[in-house]
Amino acid sequence: MRTAARVPQHPLDVEKGVGKAEQQQGRSPLAEACGVSAVLLSGLCYAASSGCLTLLNKHALDGFGFRAPNALLCFQCVLTVILVKACEMMGLIKQLQPVKRDLVLVWLPVNLLFVGMIGSSFYALQNVGVGMVTVWKNLSNVVTAIGDIVIYKKSYNWPVWATLLIMLASAMVGASTDVRFTWSGYGWQMANCLFTSSYALYLRSVMDKVAEHTTNKQRMDEFSMVFYNNLLSIPCIMILMYIFGEYNAIANPTNQAALHNPLFQLVAGLSGIIGFAISFSSLWFLSQTTATIYSLVGALNKIPVAIFGLVIFREPTNPKNLASIILGLLAGVMFVRAKQQPQRATAIK
């Protein structure tokens, strides 16, 4: 699941050179204090924060009967904006891009896709089990690959297409054998795949245009993107809250008793903080390793998340459904490996 705080690094977006900082594997005081390598510690932090966020959001939406996902999403966006600005003021991150009219206008289409991506993921997670959500997330790879061919005239070898077909087949079989299947839940999940791919594809084309309006005439760094995405998302999500009637629902304590539950408040707060922490851990991990390993860890991380989701939330399953989940997750790992083969061959030549 993609989140409010994170700028997603889609496997198809992590091109050769994204992780150039992998050559600068400096010493980390925190890693030395823990007695482990910086690569291992940063990878564990990235994997743990990413996995915990999915499980916490699922628990907040499903475990407490909270039926106002846009309100929860708005809270996370507000919290992220506050945390980003606090880190900037404390000197933990470099200065963010200021809010300027011309930059906002250029970034607004990106932000609308971002809101669609994170909003649909919340609605999907509310109605679909964690295991199937992780499998269906892989379908965004299929849509992005098609977009790469149509828009950017790229090409992929047959192992890549083979793994994409396996992902598609596992998702279809998984949905057909899901005892909790609902058209609403899977409709939102399909929308999430489309929004995720559209966001990834459009972001590539607009980054150079955005650079024309930044103060340093360079592309936005990740923290500025996190800041802009979440800040501009707040008014959009507030409109969605009105459309879906969430203001009245929140105002009525009998409808949203979860809001008065301290445990729900703790889970919601933690999900916002951990979502923001992903921005730090992902940058730290990318600075310590290669783009290939970064993508591979992201794909492998879906496996324990799906397992924990099935166990913790006691999601009903059956042998066929479980097999489709396992196959889909393994296909995600094979996809990353297959996509990197042409780049390795080019590097060798």
Side-chain angles (χ1 to χ4, degrees):
M1 185 181 74
R2 315 300 190 268
T3 71
R6 183 185 173 202
V7 176
Q9 294 285 347
H10 198 283
L12 280 166
D13 295 332
V14 184
E15 304 291 349
K16 183 180 179 182
V18 172
K20 284 185 178 180
E22 74 260 25
Q23 305 299 334
Q24 305 169 0
Q25 298 183 15
R27 300 167 69 87
S28 168
L30 179 60
E32 290 179 354
C34 296
V36 297
S37 68
V39 176
L40 177 60
L41 184 59
S42 60
L44 288 175
C45 289
Y46 166 66
S49 59
S50 179
C52 285
L53 183 62
T54 300
L55 298 175
L56 282 171
N57 279 337
K58 176 65 175 178
H59 188 39
L61 293 168
D62 201 32
F64 297 92
F66 188 65
R67 311 311 293 177
N70 289 309
L72 179 61
L73 188 55
C74 187
F75 165 74
Q76 291 188 355
C77 288
V78 172
L79 181 59
T80 297
V81 170
I82 294 173
L83 290 174
V84 173
K85 288 300 292 183
C87 288
E88 180 192 29
M89 294 173 63
M90 291 186 292
L92 298 177
I93 60 176
K94 65 181 182 180
Q95 187 173 9
L96 301 170
Q97 289 295 325
V99 180
K100 302 189 301 180
R101 181 177 178 275
D102 56 345
L103 190 54
V104 168
L105 291 176
V106 173
W107 192 259
L108 189 58
V110 178
N111 181 254
L112 293 176
L113 292 172
F114 177 77
V115 171
M117 179 180 70
I118 58 178
S120 58
S121 71
F122 266 52
Y123 277 99
L125 197 61
Q126 190 175 39
N127 297 282
V128 181
V130 174
M132 287 309 304
V133 164
T134 54
V135 170
W136 273 70
K137 279 183 181 180
N138 284 335
L139 289 189
S140 59
N141 292 325
V142 179
V143 182
T144 305
I146 295 172
D148 273 334
I149 293 174
V150 175
I151 300 173
Y152 298 107
K153 310 303 179 185
K154 289 188 177 182
S155 61
Y156 294 101
N157 56 19
W158 71 264
V160 170
W161 288 111
T163 56
L164 290 174
L165 287 175
I166 294 174
M167 291 179 194
L168 183 61
S170 67
M172 295 298 104
V173 172
S176 65
T177 56
D178 187 359
V179 296
R180 293 181 57 188
F181 177 88
T182 62
W183 284 108
S184 173
Y186 279 89
W188 282 114
Q189 190 59 60
M190 285 187 283
N192 179 250
C193 291
L194 293 175
F195 276 117
T196 300
S197 297
S198 299
Y199 176 82
L201 292 167
Y202 185 71
L203 186 61
R204 295 184 206 170
S205 65
V206 82
M207 286 305 289
D208 289 332
K209 189 176 181 181
V210 169
E212 298 174 6
H213 301 277
T214 58
T215 54
N216 55 6
K217 301 302 178 182
Q218 296 180 0
R219 290 188 173 192
M220 267 195 187
D221 63 276
E222 182 167 337
F223 289 112
S224 290
M225 285 192 284
V226 168
F227 175 69
Y228 259 76
N229 270 337
N230 286 273
L231 181 64
L232 297 182
S233 294
I234 295 170
C236 297
I237 297 171
M238 292 180 72
I239 294 173
L240 290 176
M241 289 174 62
Y242 176 78
I243 293 173
F244 285 89
E246 293 187 9
Y247 288 109
N248 293 332
I250 293 173
N252 189 342
T254 59
N255 291 338
Q256 299 295 342
L259 290 174
H260 305 281
N261 186 334
L263 184 57
F264 171 79
Q265 296 170 6
L266 176 63
V267 170
L270 282 175
S271 65
I273 295 172
I274 292 177
F276 169 70
I278 291 177
S279 300
F280 280 98
S281 60
S282 61
L283 280 177
W284 184 24
F285 188 37
L286 262 176
S287 71
Q288 298 294 328
T289 188
T290 64
T292 302
I293 298 300
Y294 177 88
S295 299
L296 190 59
V297 168
L300 286 169
N301 194 44
K302 292 180 180 179
I303 297 176
V305 171
I307 294 172
F308 281 121
L310 290 170
V311 174
I312 294 173
F313 301 108
R314 299 178 181 177
E315 296 174 356
T317 187
N318 54 63
K320 288 184 179 179
N321 183 254
L322 191 58
S324 68
I325 292 174
I326 295 173
L327 183 61
L329 295 174
L330 291 177
V333 178
M334 291 188 293
F335 165 76
V336 175
R337 302 297 296 174
K339 184 176 179 293
Q340 295 301 324
Q341 290 303 319
Q343 294 182 4
R344 287 204 190 95
T346 302
I348 292 174
K349 290 179 181 180

